[in-house]
């Protein structure tokens, strides 16, 4: 197998950074994004916090009450989570990343692996330049910083991204892997949780380097063949997992917030057509055809509305997509009196182009053989 170059892009303090982007005046203050459970005013947990708040010990998972104690007397900002807003930003950023990758794998809302072996001709200097370009694109187009790790596989790329945050860029060449991993605690390896860490500690293994030198046979005796082998391989930086798109999506959609609430069709379509372009570009890249088109409206009063239309035959036409979106918005405005705050477009009933070809071929009984 050819040596690979893999990146892991991780958006910095994601939910909190989205909130800073929405309201730049809170930048510089501790920003704490919370899931309020609603039982009492302050019951619930911290989803994430910006790095200013982290200096006070505020982090994901602690209670809101504890976060408030830590920030007592400080001019801090506490906000509720707004998943649709974060999803919107995430989708746009993932699209930027995808356009730079040979193959792409999103893992969660704010992280993605990219195989860039071809794009960089296997050259680390080029990979570093590409990572810098990606950071710059994400910053200028979406006003967010991210941290990128570059390495010969997913395992090394992930650890490299974590090592320097926020706004980091850490390349680790194959010949540097051993030296890079050696001093890190075993917990840095994916799959080593608290329990495993404890068991390894009883064997005298605290660092990845110690794990690498530990007898494989004994590891297998303690953890079983599968895990034991995995731990050993991970400790020496071996990981052959490919970067691959997770299963085909059931639908592709985009949603966006309008500058102000409106019932003006021209304003709505101006925004919606941009979203159609994004969705369509993604369909093309994945070789997908659609059969259904929907629109989605979040009104000024936060009520949610949608309309959709399904065709007989799958298509990839952008023109049909936009025409249908226009029809559906016209219908919506005619039937409803609310003002639109957020508008979205979606295509669904998706088919892979080649699969469709196969189905047609089978249907008509044609065959190449
Ligand atoms: P992370 O990438 O773990 O954290 P982060 O992006 O906030 O900070 P950084 O990467 O700079 O260390 O998680 C991504 C988002 O997932 C985070 O912004 C909020 C959400 N999240 C939770 O809601 N609960 C959690 O316990 C964690 C860890 C994350
Ligand atoms: Ca993150």
């Amino acid at each position: 197998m050819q040596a690979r170059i893999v990146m892991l892009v991780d958006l910095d303090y994601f939910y909190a950074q989205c909130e800073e982007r929405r309201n730049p005046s809170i930048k510089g203050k501790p920003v704490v994004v919370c899931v309020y459970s609603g039982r009492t005013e302050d019951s619930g947990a911290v989803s994430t916090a910006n790095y200013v708040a982290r200096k006070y010990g505020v982090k994901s998972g602690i209670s809101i009450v504890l976060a408030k104690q830590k920030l007592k007397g400080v001019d801090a900002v506490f906000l509720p989570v707004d998943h649709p807003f974060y999803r919107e930003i995430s989708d746009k950023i993932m699209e930027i990343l995808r356009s730079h990758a040979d193959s792409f794998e999103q893992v969660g809302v704010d992280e993605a692996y990219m195989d860039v072996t071809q794009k960089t001709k296997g050259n680390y200097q080029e990979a570093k330049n590409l990572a810098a370009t990606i950071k710059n694109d994400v910053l200028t187009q979406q006003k967010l910083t991210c941290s990128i790790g570059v390495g010969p596989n997913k395992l090394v790329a992930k650890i490299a991204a974590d090592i320097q945050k926020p706004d980091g860029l850490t390349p680790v060449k194959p010949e540097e892997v051993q030296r890079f991993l050696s001093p890190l605690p075993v917990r840095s390896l994916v799959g080593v949780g608290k329990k495993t860490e404890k068991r390894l500690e009883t064997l005298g293994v605290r660092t990845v380097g110690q794990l690498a030198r530990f007898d494989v046979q004994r590891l297998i005796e303690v953890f079983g063949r599968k895990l034991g082998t995995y731990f050993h391989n991970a400790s020496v930086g071996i990981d052959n997992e490919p970067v691959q798109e997770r299963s085909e999506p059931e639908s592709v959609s985009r949603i966006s917030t309008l500058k102000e609430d409106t019932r003006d069709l021209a304003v709505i379509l101006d925004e919606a057509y941009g979203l159609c372009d994004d969705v369509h570009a993604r369909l093309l890249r994945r070789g997908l055809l659609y059969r259904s088109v929907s629109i989605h409206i979040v009104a000024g009063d936060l009520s949610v509305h949608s309309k959709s239309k399904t065709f007989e035959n799958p298509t990839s036409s952008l023109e049909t997509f936009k025409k249908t979106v226009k029809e559906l918005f016209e219908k919506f405005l005619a039937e409803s009196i609310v003002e639109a705050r957020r508008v979205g477009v979606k295509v669904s009933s998706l088919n892979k182009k080649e699969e469709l070809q196969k189905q047609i071929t089978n249907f008509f009984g044609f065959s190449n053989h």
Side-chain angles (χ1 to χ4, degrees):
M1 195 167 66
Q2 192 201 351
R4 296 182 294 157
I5 300 190
V6 173
M7 291 184 187
L8 187 273
V9 182
D10 181 5
L11 303 173
D12 298 324
Y13 61 102
F14 182 52
Y15 293 2
Q17 207 184 171
C18 291
E19 296 296 347
E20 288 182 357
R21 183 185 112 165
R22 168 150 60 189
N23 179 6
S25 72
I26 63 177
K27 261 192 165 172
K29 295 181 188 179
V31 176
V32 187
V33 179
C34 307
V35 178
Y36 290 94
S37 67
R39 232 179 284 145
T40 66
E41 200 187 326
D42 279 347
S43 63
V46 170
S47 234
T48 195
N50 68 357
Y51 280 74
V52 187
R54 289 184 197 189
K55 281 201 197 122
Y56 293 88
V58 176
K59 56 182 182 183
S60 298
I62 69 170
S63 71
I64 299 171
V65 173
L66 181 58
K68 289 207 163 161
Q69 276 169 18
K70 289 179 185 285
L71 289 165
K72 208 165 179 195
V74 183
D75 182 17
V77 182
F78 284 78
L79 295 165
V81 284
D82 179 355
H83 291 294
F85 180 60
Y86 312 142
R87 168 65 55 190
E88 221 176 291
I89 296 177
S90 163
D91 281 349
K92 288 183 181 144
I93 293 178
M94 292 303 157
E95 216 46 59
I96 297 175
L97 302 183
R98 191 179 260 114
S99 73
H100 285 293
D102 301 330
S103 56
F104 181 81
E105 180 176 351
Q106 184 174 344
V107 281
V109 73
D110 80 330
E111 259 183 63
Y113 288 103
M114 301 166 59
D115 189 312
V116 295
T117 313
Q118 311 291 333
K119 279 247 159 41
T120 60
K121 302 181 203 77
N123 177 308
Y124 269 79
Q125 187 54 48
E126 287 208 23
K128 196 175 168 192
N129 296 345
L130 178 60
T133 303
I134 290 169
K135 281 168 68 78
N136 188 54
D137 283 0
V138 172
L139 187 61
T140 51
Q141 294 172 35
Q142 291 301 324
K143 310 273 175 278
L144 250 61
T145 63
C146 59
S147 297
I148 304 187
V150 186
N153 54 46
K154 287 160 78 167
L155 176 117
V156 175
K158 165 87 179 151
I159 298 174
D162 278 343
I163 217 99
Q164 200 199 336
K165 270 181 175 190
D167 204 15
L169 200 187
T170 312
V172 180
K173 293 182 189 163
E175 62 270 26
E176 297 165 347
V177 166
Q178 209 65 74
R179 198 154 29 111
F180 171 72
L181 293 179
S182 252
L184 302 176
V186 286
R187 269 302 276 279
S188 317
L189 301 174
V190 176
V192 178
K194 260 196 194 129
K195 263 195 192 157
T196 308
E197 186 184 33
K198 280 240 169 75
R199 279 174 89 181
L200 284 170
E201 202 178 317
T202 61
L203 301 172
V205 175
R206 282 202 174 79
T207 67
V208 177
Q210 287 167 342
L211 184 57
R213 287 189 297 274
F214 197 81
D215 183 54
V216 194
Q217 282 316 318
R218 277 209 61 206
L219 271 186
I220 291 175
E221 277 162 28
V222 178
F223 294 100
R225 179 158 297 277
K226 212 169 155 200
L227 262 185
T229 316
Y230 166 76
F231 288 148
H232 176 75
N233 283 342
S235 71
V236 293
I238 294 175
D239 167 28
N240 293 322
E241 285 300 306
V243 175
Q244 54 190 0
E245 285 276 359
R246 306 256 159 137
S247 58
E248 289 304 336
E250 310 224 316
S251 64
V252 180
S253 61
R254 282 283 179 285
I255 187 158
S256 170
T257 308
L258 298 165
K259 292 212 175 62
E260 48 194 34
D261 297 2
T262 185
R263 289 183 50 79
D264 186 334
L265 180 66
V267 174
I268 291 174
L269 287 181
D270 191 41
E271 190 68 33
Y273 284 165
L275 301 176
C276 291
D277 289 334
D278 285 356
V279 166
H280 187 253
R282 184 144 170 207
L283 284 184
L284 287 189
R285 225 169 282 133
R286 294 227 190 158
L288 294 169
L289 304 170
Y290 65 89
R291 223 156 49 76
S292 299
V293 171
S294 330
I295 60 162
H296 190 78
I297 299 104
V298 180
D301 60 5
L302 298 184
S303 57
V304 176
H305 311 258
S306 56
K307 293 215 159 298
S308 59
K309 180 173 175 177
T310 300
F311 304 104
E312 277 292 302
N313 297 309
T315 172
S316 63
S317 162
L318 178 59
E319 203 188 329
T320 307
F321 185 15
K322 286 186 174 169
K323 207 175 106 216
T324 312
V325 161
K326 180 168 180 243
E327 269 171 39
L328 293 173
F329 273 114
E330 281 168 348
K331 209 160 156 203
F332 164 74
L333 288 169
E335 290 173 5
S336 168
I337 55 160
V338 299
E339 298 200 308
R341 167 164 300 179
R342 275 191 176 138
V343 294
V345 303
K346 177 169 97 177
V347 290
S348 53
S349 310
L350 304 179
N351 267 101
K352 252 226 168 316
K353 252 185 191 151
E354 309 88 74
E355 266 164 34
L356 199 71
Q357 192 55 49
K358 246 190 270 162
Q359 282 170 22
I360 293 169
T361 313
N362 290 342
F363 180 76
F364 288 108
F366 298 147
S367 161
N368 293 330
H369 302 290

